[in-house]
């Protein structure tokens, strides 16, 4: 592919961006915009984290993603503890990053600071990536700002949630894949594979997105496409396979992700619980009794126990499970009360408008690289969560892609002639 060319164009579609999508004289101002976005994002996320701290009703959840912080507290502040006995329950990637943050700054809120920094970096990276991949300055800016200041995200910054860290990894991979396609080098292809492996280890529902990346590389790279796809695959295996191999050697069983998957699958297929969060499920006596039976089992035995129960539920009522998948698909974008199909109107309005205009972009700009990348990120994560389990915060890393598609969809309707739109130059 021609060096530096972006592809928000295709057969029968006006070129949104040509070879000079980012003129040299505009680059300094774009990086200044990125710096301002980084500072504004950090300030907003920090403010929300501080607000949540002052009104906290739930603990920081150190025993979840932050369990290594508890280990450092109880067993001595030694770096080696971060590398010993990684948790099969939460995996190795996110807990290690959170544990390292606590090791460097040994106070409980250190991970909240890390999430603020990573979120701000992700916002700036995506702005630059959207712009240099041909979206134009204003669509890129609007998409990122909509994401940064989207009100339902505020509570994410007050707890040991993985979403800001995942958003950072996702943003890096998104931009690196785009750069690899625009100007392919062996190092970029391999680095993309390594990042994809880390992202998948950090959150298994990125499986479909990661599987689609070699196809995207093969489709858009005109020369030596298979070499790029193979290098991507090698990089992926370098990052992903050690965890699987380690688990097999240590436990004699193939565990590519975590042992949390069985219980989450049960949660997402539990019709009586209506795919509810754990707090809601544990208010039900029948679920309390089911959960009590896992006590005394090893983590691997617990995983088998929950997997068997989940599969039993699926086979007993496949029609009900399909209905539940629809519900989970809705819950991925909106607040949906337990046992109700009437979503919160604010999140429903944002989701409806964004998805409709994103659909317009997918139809009108379907041949563009940037639109295809956004669709892969959105669709892959959405489908997996609709099949397994969904909560509103799970859409956090892909919201900027949704908002960008929506803005591009509006622009394609408002400016059918490319001469009138920023970014068409």
């Amino acid at each position: 592919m021609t060096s530096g060319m972006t592809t928000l164009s295709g057969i029968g579609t006006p070129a949104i961006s040509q070879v000079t999508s980012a003129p040299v004289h505009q680059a300094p101002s774009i990086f200044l915009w990125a710096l301002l976005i980084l500072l504004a994002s950090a300030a907003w996320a920090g403010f929300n984290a501080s607000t949540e701290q002052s009104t906290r009703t739930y603990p920081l959840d150190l025993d979840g993603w932050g369990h290594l912080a508890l280990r450092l507290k109880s067993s001595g502040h030694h770096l080696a503890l971060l590398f010993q006995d990684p948790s099969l329950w939460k995996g190795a990637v996110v807990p290690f990053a959170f544990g390292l943050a606590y090791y460097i700054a040994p106070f409980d809120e250190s991970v909240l600071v890390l999430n603020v920094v990573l979120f701000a970096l992700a916002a700036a990276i995506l702005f630059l990536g959207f712009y240099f991949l041909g979206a134009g300055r204003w669509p890129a800016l609007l998409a990122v700002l909509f994401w940064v200041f989207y009100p339902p995200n505020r509570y994410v910054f007050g707890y040991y949630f993985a979403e800001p860290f995942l958003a950072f990894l996702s943003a890096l991979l998104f931009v690196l894949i785009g750069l690899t396609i625009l100007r392919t080098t062996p190092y970029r292809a391999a680095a993309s594979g390594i990042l994809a492996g880390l992202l998948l280890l950090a959150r298994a529902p990125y499986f479909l997105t990661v599987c689609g990346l070699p196809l995207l590389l093969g489709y858009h790279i005109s020369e030596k496409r298979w070499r790029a796809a193979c290098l991507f695959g090698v990089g992926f295996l370098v990052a992903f396979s050690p965890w699987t191999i380690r688990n097999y050697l240590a436990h004699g069983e193939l565990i590519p992700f975590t042992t949390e998957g069985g219980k989450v699958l049960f949660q997402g297929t539990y019709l009586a619980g209506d795919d509810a969060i754990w707090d809601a499920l544990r208010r039900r006596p029948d679920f309390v009794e089911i959960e009590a039976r896992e006590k005394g089992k090893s983590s691997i035995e617990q995983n088998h126990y929950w997997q068997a129960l989940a599969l039993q539920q699926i086979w007993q009522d496949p029609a009900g499970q399909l209905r539940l998948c629809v519900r989970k698909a809705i819950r991925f974008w909106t607040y949906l009360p337990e046992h109700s199909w009437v979503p919160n109107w604010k999140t429903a309005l944002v989701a409806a408008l964004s998805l409709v205009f994103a659909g317009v972009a997918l139809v009108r700009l379907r041949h563009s690289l940037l639109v295809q990348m956004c669709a892969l990120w959105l669709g892959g994560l959405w489908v997996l969560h609709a099949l397994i389990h969904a909560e509103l915060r799970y859409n956090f890393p892909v919201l900027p892609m949704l908002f960008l598609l929506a803005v591009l969809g509006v622009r394609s309707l408002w400016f059918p002639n490319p001469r009138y739109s920023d970014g068409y130059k």
Side-chain angles (χ1 to χ4, degrees):
M1 178 169 288
T2 302
S3 173
M5 181 178 291
T6 54
T7 55
L8 267 179
S9 61
I11 301 173
T13 306
I16 292 182
S17 179
Q18 301 297 336
V19 177
T20 57
S21 64
V24 174
H25 70 273
Q26 292 185 11
S29 65
I30 288 301
F31 285 108
L32 177 59
W33 275 105
L35 177 60
L36 293 175
I37 288 172
L38 185 147
L39 295 175
S41 303
W44 179 245
F47 170 77
N48 288 316
S50 176
T51 301
E52 192 66 40
Q53 284 291 97
S54 63
T55 59
R56 179 174 304 286
T57 56
Y58 291 95
L60 278 170
D61 188 28
L62 296 180
D63 60 337
W65 295 109
H67 67 267
L68 290 182
L70 290 178
R71 181 185 296 180
L72 291 171
K73 282 184 174 183
S74 61
S75 302
H77 201 75
H78 304 296
L79 183 63
L81 293 173
L82 299 179
F83 300 91
Q84 296 175 6
D85 299 323
S87 171
L88 287 176
W89 180 251
K90 286 294 188 180
V93 177
V94 180
F96 177 81
F98 284 8
L100 184 60
Y102 182 83
Y103 175 79
I104 295 172
F107 57 95
D108 288 351
E109 293 77 16
S110 60
V111 170
L112 306 188
V113 177
L114 173 68
N115 276 342
V116 166
V117 173
L118 293 180
F119 171 70
L121 287 172
I125 288 169
L126 284 175
F127 169 73
L128 292 173
F130 291 162
Y131 175 78
F132 285 109
L133 288 170
R137 180 173 62 251
W138 292 110
L141 180 63
L142 288 174
V144 171
L145 290 182
F146 285 159
W147 177 47
V148 169
F149 295 104
Y150 187 49
N153 290 342
R154 290 179 297 182
Y155 76 99
V156 169
F157 303 106
Y159 297 90
Y160 273 44
F161 285 136
E163 275 66 32
F165 178 79
L166 297 172
F168 174 71
L169 285 182
S170 173
L172 278 180
L173 179 59
F174 186 93
V175 175
L176 187 55
I177 283 290
L179 293 177
T180 300
I181 291 173
L182 299 184
R183 184 175 293 177
T184 307
T185 68
Y187 299 107
R188 286 181 179 174
S192 297
I194 291 172
L195 264 178
L198 290 175
L199 180 61
L200 189 58
L201 283 176
R203 182 59 66 85
Y206 280 96
F207 178 78
L208 292 180
T209 298
V210 170
C211 286
L213 293 179
L215 300 178
L216 197 69
L217 292 172
Y219 179 74
H220 282 282
I221 296 175
S222 58
E223 297 179 2
K224 299 181 179 179
R225 63 185 65 188
W226 297 118
R227 185 182 73 167
C230 289
L231 287 171
F232 174 92
V234 170
F236 173 81
L237 290 176
V238 167
F240 186 82
S241 59
W243 173 249
T244 305
I245 295 171
R246 177 261 175 198
N247 291 339
Y248 186 81
L249 293 177
H251 304 284
E253 189 160 334
L254 187 66
I255 306 173
F257 302 110
T258 67
T259 54
E260 185 184 24
K263 194 168 187 177
V264 173
L265 181 62
F266 175 86
Q267 178 186 13
T269 56
Y270 188 48
L271 289 179
D274 208 21
D275 187 41
I277 61 175
W278 290 119
D279 287 345
L281 287 178
R282 287 175 176 136
R283 291 195 295 267
R284 301 183 57 88
D286 52 343
F287 180 80
V288 172
E289 182 180 345
I290 293 172
E291 190 175 34
R293 296 177 193 149
E294 75 171 354
K295 293 181 179 178
K297 300 180 185 293
S298 68
S299 60
I300 296 176
E301 292 171 338
Q302 289 176 3
N303 190 40
H304 292 165
Y305 169 71
W306 291 110
Q307 283 179 346
L309 290 177
L311 293 175
Q312 180 181 351
Q313 291 176 152
I314 294 171
W315 288 114
Q316 284 179 346
D317 187 11
Q321 292 297 325
L322 290 176
R323 174 183 176 275
L324 194 54
C325 285
V326 174
R327 179 177 177 80
K328 287 181 282 190
I330 297 172
R331 286 191 72 210
F332 186 75
W333 299 115
T334 70
Y335 281 125
L336 201 60
E338 189 178 3
H339 303 300
S340 171
W341 286 82
V342 181
N344 168 274
W345 73 268
K346 294 178 183 179
T347 54
L349 180 62
V350 172
L353 291 175
S354 299
L355 290 171
V356 166
F357 287 116
V360 171
L362 288 175
V363 172
R364 294 175 64 89
L365 306 171
R366 60 188 177 276
H367 298 290
S368 76
L369 167 62
L370 183 55
V371 168
Q372 290 173 7
M373 289 172 61
C374 289
L376 178 60
W377 252 255
L378 276 174
L381 196 62
W382 189 10
V383 168
L384 255 295
H385 279 296
L387 293 175
I388 301 171
H389 168 63
E391 294 181 28
L392 184 62
R393 77 172 189 273
Y394 293 162
N395 69 31
F396 183 87
V398 295
L399 271 179
M401 290 76 174
L402 173 66
F403 290 145
L404 179 65
L405 286 180
V407 172
L408 292 177
V410 171
R411 188 176 68 174
S412 72
L413 295 173
W414 194 263
F415 296 107
N417 187 334
R419 290 176 299 174
Y420 300 107
S421 176
D422 174 48
Y424 283 99
K425 302 173 184 179

